[in-house]
Amino acid sequence: MKITNFAVKNYQFTLIIFVLFAVVGLLTLFTMPRSEDPTTHSPQYIITAIYPGTSPKDMEEQVVKPIENKIYGLENIEKILTSVEDGVAVIQPKFKYGVDVDNKYQEISTEINALKNSELPKDIYLVKTEKVASSDVKIIQVALVSGTASAKVLRDNADILKTRLEKITDLKEVKYTGIPEQEIRIDMQLDKLAQLKIPLSLVIGSLQSEAADIPGGSINLDSKVFNVKTSGKFKNVDDVASTVIYNANGKIVYLRDVAEVSYKDGTVNHITRLNGHRCILVTAAMKDNVNISKVKEEYMPVLDAFSKDLPENIKMVKNFDQADMVSKRLGHLGFDFGLAILLVVITLLPLGFRASLIVMISIPLSLALGLIAMNLMGYSLNQLSIVGLVVALGLLVDDSIVVVENIERWLREGHSKTDAILKGTKQIGVAVVGCTATLVIAFLPLAFLPDIAGEFIRSLPIAVITSVLASMLVALTLVPFLGSRMLKTHTHGGGNFFLQKLQQFLSFSYRRIMPLALSWPKVTVGISIILSVLAFLLFPLAGFKLFPTSEKPMFLINIKLPLQADIPESDRVAKLVEKELKQHKEIVYFTSNVGKGNPQIYYNVHQQDIKPDFAQIFVQMEEEASPKSKQRLIRTLRKKFADFPLARIEVKDFEQGTPIEANIVVRLFGENQDTLRALSFKAEEILRKHPGTFFVNNELNAYKSDVKVTINKEKARTLGVLTSDVDKVIRMAVAGLNVGDYIDDRGDSRNVVITLPREKFSNLDALKGLYVNNLQGTPVQIDQIATIGFETSPTAINHFNKSRFAKVTSLTKDGVYANDILKDIVPQLNRMKLPPGYYYKLSGEAESEGDALGGNFLSVILLSGFLFVGVLLLQFKTFKGIIIVLSIIPLGILGGVVFLLITGNPMSLVSIIGFIGLSGIQVKNSLLLVDFTNQLRLEGHSIDEAVNMAGETRFLPVVLTSITAICGLLPIALNPNPLIAPLAIVLIGGLISSTILSRIVTPVMYKLIPPQLESEAKA
């Protein structure tokens, strides 16, 4: 081949180029971004609207529908999922993959800001838009623990740490949570306002006017420019209390005359504890494409210095540090990598010391080239890309082994070194290129998997593809050059001791089988067909789960209290759960979050927003805890909390892959809430009856009660009272109204809130004795024009693409897969009598599988299939050759399925990757046999002679490459991580079965349907 001739003849150039690659590859290894999981940029966003004290129905009408209508009109929208609860609406628009994520975020933000100024309620508390990105995960979570420090001291110290961490350029979203912010509280005395006949709206207007911070501009004076400073914001309590709210007839009324103004903590809506001790949490996320190890070197000195400055009664505990996890995980994978190389070295012994050394030099150079390519393409060093490199390790030696073994064979046959190097490489060169092409094409569909699952997994096939292409380049250039310098002509043709013994073993193993198989070709093919059918029949026995649970030694406990439970009740129950967790010594930390979820510490589990009847405990075990010990603890806790009387307690493991609400989700669509509720009961019953389900949840099981203030509009109109003024007074009394802000002593902006005197939490007394001024300023007691009662309303309202739905969710028990349960329950759901216009859809794992393995993926599979056949046609010029080569694939599948069943792993996305990759490896091995058989026939040998000679000669490199691949994959197969182990298990099982059987099936198929060669066609 020309490239080989060039590399050997210009060896100085070849040497300097590959030394350059080695140096750049080494630098890339130490400088390229590192993270635990791959970076993903999903075109998915979260719009959160918070409007305290608003019922789901009012939220739907006033907030959700305007936002949905606006977002639904944007281009490339794929779906919108909305959840509406008391005072909170979460709208999750998802756009088609491939849109510009940042541009779309700006577009959404612009639309939402426009809505705030037009259609949304003016007094809505918050509307925020967030991007869903893997970089949202908090890489550190630090707890400032104290049982005696005041809330202000804790908050001030947390703010100091936050300020210091914010100065680190690679960190973002540094926050502290678990303690309410300080505010200036204005407790209005409505009776005094009524006596003075001062409208509440006048007080609010005066405060808002005083709080406004309007720049004065600039003026020119004596050739200089001076800025004009105006009154500015409120500065302190006295500043607010001194606000003039009324000035008429020479009488001035200050705010302090009609209200009590003081510093107070805001309403408690999030309580945090570490191991049962009161604390405040400080968290930080990391920016994209950054090396987490380098970031740790920046924030650790900050944390160490800060902990030394803390008061004696506050202790800092770094309870979560993702950098440690990344270091350990990449360290384990690095050890696996080293072990794989050691095993590969052992398997190369039959080649001889010099030949093995050439292959060992080619391995790091191929990986270096692969790393350089990955870095240029923007991929990071993470658990999946490293697994891809380890998988590639078992494959990239193939090219070098095949080339070196062929050169060695020519040397053993007595050819000169020059002939052996150039002609030996040329003889095998086309086959090496063809093999690499088939392998690349086999992994290509995985590089084009659609949606978030595809982006998450993509670094694995890219690592394989870049490394394998690099290995082909190395095998055709560097290996012949090194061979020309290092290999020697053999004195005997049998090779070294290990090679002779391996050759003897292979000859002995097939001595009786091969003649028999070639004598009965149709029977042999019949048996192989039976084995192939068996392989496909075994698939359903393995089960299917797209992504496994996480192997990390941590999990969540979700505490769901009875409807409308308040924060104190949720806190009481959380403490009871904490008491049980203290009994388990394997638990190192448990972080309790009452009224809100734990800050996001896993890439696909987002923080639950404010919810009084909810608590979440983040549990962390010892770092070296195995996945099995974690599962044992989870089972123990589930059993313990199964009959917990005060709340429903879900012990939930983290799941890999795309975020899902639960394993099984049944969505029932329709407009009438009562009809949906009745249908949800039927679906819930079907799920509860199945033995494989648990934690079955139906949001519409119980309706909640709301306090309803009914205004007599005729009476109000007669008395000159505006309905909006009544609503404003009630909101002020219950939730408070934000009328401005002030700058605290640390320079941060804090709220000024107007409300009525009340306890820590509002109760029904807040609605007693309220006054509202009519248009003439006369106070009217609200009791005169309104009645207070109760009404029922749904706990939550859900929309999917603007259509209302109810949902029933369920988790699955250990060893039971959602797909197996769906096979049983879908027929029952289909038998449900649904009214016209009502229907159901499956979500959860079923929807996730549809997104990951949808239409685009099938298109890519078809395209790859045609490319696969196209490459083989270029190689053999005949369809018979293709059939012979592809006939081995089902036999490899048999081994892969059997190994999955033996190890207890289900079929998954990673297993599918294994089977697709396996097809490329098998074809590669089979192609070597068929290509050499064709060459022998062209040299004049009969079909029988060619089949036998090719089997004897080419089977040795096939076995060597398979053994090296198996040994290279062994450490990954033994890795406890259920995300990556199945890939190696499938490949090892498939390689064993296909290598053993290819020696029989490929020659037999060749004998049955010998392809017509070019020389025969010309004749």
Side-chain angles (χ1 to χ4, degrees):
M1 299 182 79
K2 288 182 180 180
I3 191 169
T4 305
N5 293 343
F6 178 84
V8 173
K9 288 174 182 176
N10 299 279
Y11 66 90
Q12 299 95 335
F13 177 78
T14 305
L15 185 63
I16 200 70
I17 287 294
F18 279 101
V19 168
L20 173 66
F21 286 148
V23 171
V24 175
L26 199 64
L27 288 172
T28 303
L29 176 64
F30 290 109
T31 58
M32 73 187 293
R34 295 182 188 207
S35 58
E36 186 166 31
D37 297 301
T39 302
T40 55
H41 301 90
S42 173
Q44 200 167 345
Y45 307 87
I46 297 177
I47 302 166
T48 306
I50 300 176
Y51 196 12
T54 312
S55 70
K57 196 171 182 181
D58 289 340
M59 284 291 288
E60 182 186 37
E61 289 299 324
Q62 297 176 33
V63 178
V64 170
K65 285 186 177 178
I67 293 175
E68 282 185 342
N69 288 336
K70 188 64 74 174
I71 300 299
Y72 213 66
L74 298 178
E75 289 182 0
N76 296 313
I77 187 79
E78 187 176 293
K79 57 187 175 186
I80 299 181
L81 181 64
T82 304
S83 175
V84 190
E85 294 180 351
D86 267 336
V88 179
V90 179
I91 300 129
Q92 299 179 61
K94 184 181 178 185
F95 292 82
K96 290 173 183 173
Y97 232 80
V99 300
D100 189 302
V101 174
D102 293 322
N103 283 352
K104 195 57 72 174
Y105 174 72
Q106 293 300 329
E107 201 175 329
I108 293 170
S109 299
T110 303
E111 296 292 352
I112 296 299
N113 288 332
L115 277 175
K116 280 184 193 175
N117 300 324
S118 56
E119 296 180 50
L120 296 182
K122 300 298 179 190
D123 58 343
I124 192 165
Y125 174 70
L126 175 71
V127 182
K128 62 178 180 179
T129 306
E130 301 168 282
K131 283 187 282 189
V132 176
S134 55
S135 59
D136 293 339
V137 175
K138 311 303 178 191
I139 63 164
I140 49 168
Q141 181 168 298
V142 177
L144 302 183
V145 184
S146 177
T148 56
S150 69
K152 187 177 188 314
V153 171
L154 263 179
R155 187 168 48 234
D156 285 349
N157 277 283
D159 199 35
I160 291 167
L161 179 57
K162 173 178 178 279
T163 304
R164 291 184 186 179
L165 289 172
E166 281 175 334
K167 291 174 182 175
I168 298 172
T169 54
D170 289 330
L171 290 180
K172 67 172 189 175
E173 292 181 15
V174 184
K175 295 177 182 177
Y176 61 83
T177 53
I179 209 158
E181 293 290 357
Q182 189 183 59
E183 62 187 23
I184 291 179
R185 181 88 59 81
I186 303 166
D187 289 338
M188 293 301 304
Q189 295 165 339
L190 289 184
D191 53 343
K192 287 188 179 179
L193 273 185
Q195 288 169 15
L196 295 168
K197 293 188 177 181
I198 299 173
L200 179 65
S201 57
L202 188 64
V203 177
I204 293 170
S206 299
L207 285 165
Q208 288 173 335
S209 172
E210 289 296 313
D213 189 8
I214 303 169
S218 62
I219 58 172
N220 289 18
L221 186 64
D222 293 336
S223 74
K224 291 187 178 180
V225 176
F226 294 85
N227 289 331
V228 179
K229 289 190 174 182
T230 54
S231 55
K233 296 186 177 185
F234 290 128
K235 291 174 179 62
N236 51 42
V237 165
D238 293 335
D239 208 13
V240 176
S242 301
T243 303
V244 176
I245 59 167
Y246 188 74
N247 185 359
N249 304 321
K251 185 179 180 183
I252 297 175
V253 179
Y254 295 98
L255 181 63
R256 59 174 171 264
D257 298 330
V258 291
E260 182 187 323
V261 186
S262 61
Y263 289 116
K264 285 187 180 177
D265 285 343
T267 304
V268 176
N269 54 27
H270 185 197
I271 300 168
T272 52
R273 281 188 296 276
L274 180 69
N275 291 1
H277 303 289
R278 170 176 172 256
C279 75
I280 186 168
L281 298 177
V282 182
T283 57
M286 183 179 76
K287 292 176 184 174
D288 277 340
N289 300 317
V290 176
N291 190 330
I292 194 170
S293 303
K294 295 279 176 66
V295 181
K296 184 179 180 179
E297 290 173 10
E298 294 181 57
Y299 66 69
M300 277 310 296
V302 173
L303 294 178
D304 292 338
F306 173 77
S307 64
K308 291 172 184 173
D309 298 336
L310 279 172
E312 288 184 5
N313 62 341
I314 300 177
K315 183 184 176 186
M316 189 191 85
V317 180
K318 181 167 66 76
N319 64 311
F320 178 78
D321 189 344
Q322 197 186 70
D324 288 341
M325 289 186 171
V326 171
S327 177
K328 280 187 171 59
R329 177 172 286 192
L330 298 188
H332 285 155
L333 286 169
F335 173 78
D336 290 346
F337 199 79
L339 182 59
I341 288 179
L342 179 65
L343 292 170
V344 167
V345 170
I346 294 168
T347 61
L348 293 175
L349 287 174
L351 284 177
F353 174 75
R354 292 171 182 271
S356 298
L357 188 60
I358 292 171
V359 174
M360 290 313 299
I361 292 170
S362 74
I363 289 172
L365 278 169
S366 300
L367 291 173
L369 276 167
L371 273 177
I372 294 166
M374 282 183 66
N375 193 37
L376 290 172
M377 293 165 75
Y379 290 96
S380 67
L381 209 57
N382 56 68
Q383 60 164 331
L384 286 173
S385 59
I386 289 179
V387 170
L389 291 171
V390 178
V391 170
L393 173 66
L395 307 178
L396 57 83
V397 293
D398 287 12
D399 294 334
S400 298
I401 286 175
V402 168
V403 172
V404 168
E405 195 279 333
N406 207 49
I407 293 170
E408 281 277 80
R409 184 175 64 81
W410 276 62
L411 288 171
R412 286 197 299 271
E413 289 174 0
H415 295 279
S416 69
K417 189 189 283 191
T418 306
D419 280 354
I421 297 294
L422 298 177
K423 293 182 179 177
T425 305
K426 183 181 180 182
Q427 185 185 46
I428 202 74
V430 176
V432 166
V433 173
C435 290
T436 304
T438 55
L439 200 57
V440 167
I441 291 165
F443 278 95
L444 209 56
L446 308 169
F448 291 97
L449 263 172
D451 217 84
I452 186 72
E455 192 175 7
F456 178 73
I457 213 88
R458 193 161 294 140
S459 55
L460 195 158
I462 291 294
V464 175
I465 289 169
T466 55
S467 301
V468 167
L469 285 171
S471 79
M472 179 189 74
L473 181 66
V474 170
L476 296 177
T477 54
L478 185 71
V479 169
F481 154 63
L482 291 174
S484 69
R485 301 285 151 181
M486 295 170 63
L487 296 179
K488 290 185 177 180
T489 307
H490 291 272
T491 52
H492 57 88
N496 65 17
F497 171 79
F498 296 103
L499 184 64
Q500 289 176 38
K501 291 299 176 188
L502 180 60
Q503 195 74 60
Q504 285 172 19
F505 172 74
L506 294 176
S507 300
F508 175 78
S509 302
Y510 289 93
R511 187 176 57 193
R512 293 180 182 175
I513 299 172
M514 280 312 302
L516 199 63
L518 288 167
S519 301
W520 299 84
K522 291 181 180 178
V523 174
T524 305
V525 171
I527 293 169
S528 71
I529 291 170
I530 291 168
L531 290 173
S532 303
V533 172
L534 177 65
F536 289 102
L537 292 175
L538 289 174
F539 266 113
L541 298 178
F544 185 83
K545 185 175 173 63
L546 191 68
F547 282 104
T549 53
S550 168
E551 89 293 355
K552 289 184 185 177
M554 59 189 201
F555 56 91
L556 293 174
I557 298 176
N558 294 329
I559 303 169
K560 297 180 178 179
L561 279 92
L563 210 54
Q564 295 179 276
D566 58 11
I567 287 276
E569 177 63 13
S570 299
D571 194 37
R572 187 174 75 86
V573 175
K575 285 177 179 175
L576 292 173
V577 176
E578 289 173 0
K579 192 176 177 182
E580 171 60 30
L581 295 178
K582 286 176 184 176
Q583 310 302 315
H584 298 273
K585 292 180 181 177
E586 61 267 51
I587 295 175
V588 180
Y589 296 117
F590 53 90
T591 311
S592 303
N593 293 265
V594 181
K596 201 173 183 180
N598 192 78
Q600 186 179 353
I601 38 75
Y602 196 71
Y603 68 93
N604 65 7
V605 177
H606 301 288
Q607 185 178 17
Q608 166 67 50
D609 228 316
I610 295 165
K611 203 173 187 312
D613 53 6
F614 175 82
Q616 187 176 74
I617 300 177
F618 170 43
V619 182
Q620 293 167 271
M621 299 172 68
E622 295 166 349
E623 288 179 351
E624 297 304 320
S626 67
K628 286 184 179 178
S629 63
K630 180 178 73 165
Q631 290 303 325
R632 273 198 304 272
L633 177 59
I634 287 175
R635 281 195 296 270
T636 302
L637 292 175
R638 279 175 177 171
K639 194 173 181 182
K640 185 77 179 177
F641 295 134
D643 301 316
F644 197 80
L646 303 169
R648 180 176 140 148
I649 298 172
E650 295 180 356
V651 185
K652 199 171 181 183
D653 202 355
F654 291 103
E655 298 266 349
Q656 299 271 18
T658 49
I660 55 170
E661 185 179 1
N663 304 103
I664 298 170
V665 180
V666 180
R667 291 175 179 166
L668 297 145
F669 289 84
E671 285 306 311
N672 186 281
Q673 195 76 10
D674 293 331
T675 307
L676 284 177
R677 191 182 185 209
L679 293 172
S680 73
F681 289 154
K682 293 179 182 178
E684 181 186 357
E685 188 181 4
I686 290 169
L687 281 174
R688 283 192 188 280
K689 282 181 178 177
H690 198 283
T693 61
F694 77 113
F695 287 151
V696 178
N697 185 44
N698 179 6
E699 286 180 340
L700 300 184
N701 239 332
Y703 272 15
K704 66 183 184 68
S705 297
D706 289 328
V707 175
K708 175 70 174 175
V709 179
T710 307
I711 300 169
N712 187 324
K713 292 186 178 179
E714 288 183 7
K715 205 182 254 190
R717 201 173 293 118
T718 303
L719 293 171
V721 175
L722 297 175
T723 306
S724 60
D725 286 342
V726 177
D727 291 343
K728 195 173 286 185
V729 169
I730 290 170
R731 180 156 190 85
M732 182 200 70
V734 175
L737 287 172
N738 187 18
V739 290
D741 52 25
Y742 72 101
I743 304 299
D744 69 1
D745 52 5
R746 287 196 46 78
D748 293 322
S749 181
R750 305 288 183 218
N751 290 333
V752 177
V753 176
I754 185 169
T755 183
L756 294 185
R758 55 184 166 87
E759 297 298 321
K760 198 173 185 181
F761 299 98
S762 296
N763 54 35
L764 207 55
D765 292 340
L767 296 174
K768 292 179 181 176
L770 297 181
Y771 293 88
V772 62
N773 295 80
N774 63 11
L775 296 172
Q776 290 76 38
T778 307
V780 175
Q781 201 160 0
I782 286 179
D783 291 350
Q784 288 181 255
I785 55 173
T787 55
I788 297 172
F790 290 89
E791 73 170 14
T792 58
S793 65
T795 55
I797 297 172
N798 300 300
H799 290 183
F800 181 79
N801 288 351
K802 297 169 68 176
S803 299
R804 189 183 276 187
F805 72 89
K807 65 182 173 186
V808 183
T809 65
S810 171
L811 299 183
T812 59
K813 290 181 180 175
D814 288 333
V816 181
Y817 302 115
N819 278 343
D820 296 332
I821 294 173
L822 290 174
K823 285 175 190 173
D824 299 330
I825 67 165
V826 165
Q828 297 177 57
L829 291 170
N830 290 337
R831 286 196 292 272
M832 280 173 55
K833 292 180 179 177
L834 300 177
Y838 288 78
Y839 57 95
Y840 83 88
K841 281 184 178 178
L842 295 174
S843 184
E845 286 189 22
E847 185 180 37
S848 179
E849 287 166 20
D851 289 342
L853 306 173
N856 287 347
F857 181 58
L858 292 174
S859 302
V860 174
I861 287 279
L862 280 171
L863 177 63
S864 297
F866 281 108
L867 284 173
F868 210 78
V869 172
V871 168
L872 292 175
L873 275 172
L874 282 174
Q875 183 86 20
F876 299 120
K877 310 288 191 299
T878 169
F879 284 102
K880 285 184 179 180
I882 296 172
I883 294 167
I884 296 164
V885 168
L886 297 182
S887 64
I888 197 67
I889 289 177
L891 301 174
I893 290 172
L894 175 65
V897 176
V898 168
F899 268 54
L900 278 181
L901 290 169
I902 290 169
T903 54
N905 285 289
M907 272 295 293
S908 62
L909 182 60
V910 176
S911 302
I912 292 170
I913 290 173
F915 280 110
I916 292 172
L918 180 64
S919 65
I921 301 167
Q922 290 173 281
V923 166
K924 189 174 183 179
N925 290 340
S926 193
L927 194 148
L928 285 171
L929 284 169
V930 175
D931 178 70
F932 193 56
T933 309
N934 286 346
Q935 287 185 36
L936 290 172
R937 282 178 63 196
L938 288 170
E939 290 172 10
H941 295 281
S942 67
I943 290 174
D944 285 347
E945 287 174 346
V947 164
N948 282 309
M949 288 173 68
E952 289 290 330
T953 307
R954 274 286 169 265
F955 192 54
L956 178 63
V958 166
V959 169
L960 278 176
T961 55
S962 295
I963 292 172
T964 52
I966 289 166
C967 289
L969 292 164
L970 208 54
I972 296 294
L974 298 174
N975 193 301
N977 188 342
L979 177 67
I980 61 179
L983 172 66
I985 288 165
V986 166
L987 288 172
I988 289 172
L991 279 168
I992 290 171
S993 65
S994 66
T995 303
I996 292 169
L997 295 171
S998 66
R999 178 70 177 87
I1000 302 167
V1001 175
T1002 304
V1004 167
M1005 286 293 292
Y1006 197 101
K1007 185 177 179 180
L1008 272 179
I1009 49 169
Q1012 190 176 37
L1013 303 180
E1014 283 186 16
S1015 59
E1016 294 172 347
K1018 288 173 186 175

